[in-house]
Amino acid sequence: MTRIGIFDSGLGGLTVLRELIKTNKASYFYFGDTLRVPYGGREKEEIISFAEDIVDYLENYNIDYYIIACNTISVLATDILKEKYNKDFIPITDMGLRASLACDGDFLVLGTKTTVNSHFYKNNIEKLKDAKVYEVAATKLVDLIESGTLDEENLKFYLDDYLQIANEKKIPNIILACTHYPIIRDSIEKRLTYKANIIDPASYASKFLKSDDENLDINIFMSKKTTATENLIGKILSSPYKLTYTEEV
């Protein structure tokens, strides 16, 4: 079977895995770094070190290629990981960019502080399209999602702030530039005062990647057991999976 490694700063990358298994049967090995989440806002060298720790762990499973589900890792560490491990690493940001280029109108990038500060989407989209790209660092959302509580009042408060510019300008396209955000996609749509085109890079990835395997095998590794872990995994994934907690990273 094709052995695909997927990794993220925490639970968010499971939204990427969820989309991939809809169209691609394979043997998946997912690592979520729930011990050290969130990554957004950390120093570049620290994030690269964390990414290398995760790949070192997953290399024990003879991975054929990797999908970097974390936007923060994607914008900071992709080239370094490719050179160090001499394997294919597909960054989720590339999938988001490809999906965005097929859309008309301006864009709002909703992401972590690190992803927004990299200006990856803004620089590339504005270079390739006649469009304006707005950026908002939604710094509190990952913490709220990883807490497992998702208090609706808190969520509304922060979303109204982060989506203010979208509602003011009626920005046609909103890029979910963090894999955690599809978990609260319904809440995001409810706080918008208009109908926007929500771009989830994982949906594009599921169509872009192709596997001819006949069986599906899902292995999930988390670096820390949290209140949210098993509750959210069950809500995100409908397929059977094997879950292992490890602090080896």
Side-chain angles (χ1 to χ4, degrees), residues 21-33:
I21 63 179
K22 290 178 181 178
T23 54
N24 291 273
K25 290 182 179 179
S27 189
Y28 291 97
F29 297 83
Y30 177 89
F31 194 105
D33 195 4

Side-chain angles (χ1 to χ4, degrees), residues 21 40 42 75 100 142-143 175 224 234:
I21 63 179
R42 291 182 181 268
V75 298
S100 300
V142 172
D143 287 337
I175 303 171
K224 181 182 179 181

Side-chain angles (χ1 to χ4, degrees), residues 3 6 28 30 41 105 113 170 214 216 221 235 238 241:
R3 303 169 76 84
I6 306 176
Y28 291 97
Y30 177 89
K113 180 180 178 181
K170 302 294 187 287
E214 296 181 358
L216 177 65
F221 306 97
K235 289 181 178 179
S238 57
Y241 58 87

Side-chain angles (χ1 to χ4, degrees), residues 36-206:
R36 301 180 294 199
V37 69
Y39 281 12
R42 291 182 181 268
E43 294 297 322
K44 177 179 179 178
E45 293 74 15
E46 187 175 33
I47 293 169
I48 291 170
S49 176
F50 289 172
E52 290 176 337
D53 289 343
I54 293 170
V55 177
D56 284 343
Y57 182 88
L58 291 176
E59 279 291 271
N60 294 313
Y61 296 91
N62 299 314
I63 303 299
D64 293 311
Y65 66 88
Y66 290 93
I67 297 166
I68 306 175
C70 177
N71 284 259
T72 300
I73 297 175
S74 293
V75 298
L76 293 181
T78 298
D79 291 341
I80 292 169
L81 295 175
K82 286 180 178 179
E83 182 176 353
K84 180 173 180 179
Y85 296 96
N86 195 29
K87 285 191 176 179
D88 285 336
F89 285 83
I90 301 169
I92 195 64
T93 47
D94 279 7
M95 300 293 100
L97 177 60
R98 288 170 183 258
S100 300
L101 294 179
C103 302
D104 295 324
D106 293 340
F107 296 82
L108 170 66
V109 176
L110 202 63
T112 66
K113 180 180 178 181
T114 302
T115 300
V116 166
N117 287 347
S118 76
H119 305 301
F120 171 85
Y121 285 106
K122 180 176 178 63
N123 291 342
N124 283 286
I125 291 173
E126 290 186 348
K127 180 174 66 177
L128 297 168
K129 290 178 65 71
D130 181 18
K132 183 172 178 58
V133 178
Y134 300 87
E135 300 171 302
V136 171
T139 54
K140 293 291 185 181
L141 294 185
V142 172
D143 287 337
L144 286 173
I145 294 166
E146 288 281 343
S147 73
T149 55
L150 281 181
D151 180 83
E152 197 61 33
E153 288 306 311
N154 270 340
L155 199 54
K156 287 179 182 178
F157 173 80
Y158 287 113
L159 285 176
D160 286 347
D161 181 28
Y162 299 143
L163 296 172
Q164 181 178 353
I165 191 169
N167 284 326
E168 286 176 355
K169 295 183 176 294
K170 302 294 187 287
I171 301 171
N173 305 290
I174 298 178
I175 303 171
L176 302 183
C178 173
T179 51
H180 284 76
Y181 301 166
I183 295 172
I184 57 168
R185 177 171 177 158
D186 288 347
S187 297
I188 291 171
E189 291 179 332
K190 286 176 182 176
R191 303 317 295 172
L192 290 169
T193 59
Y194 67 103
K195 179 69 174 177
N197 174 40
I198 306 294
I199 300 171
D200 179 2
S203 296
Y204 183 90
S206 70

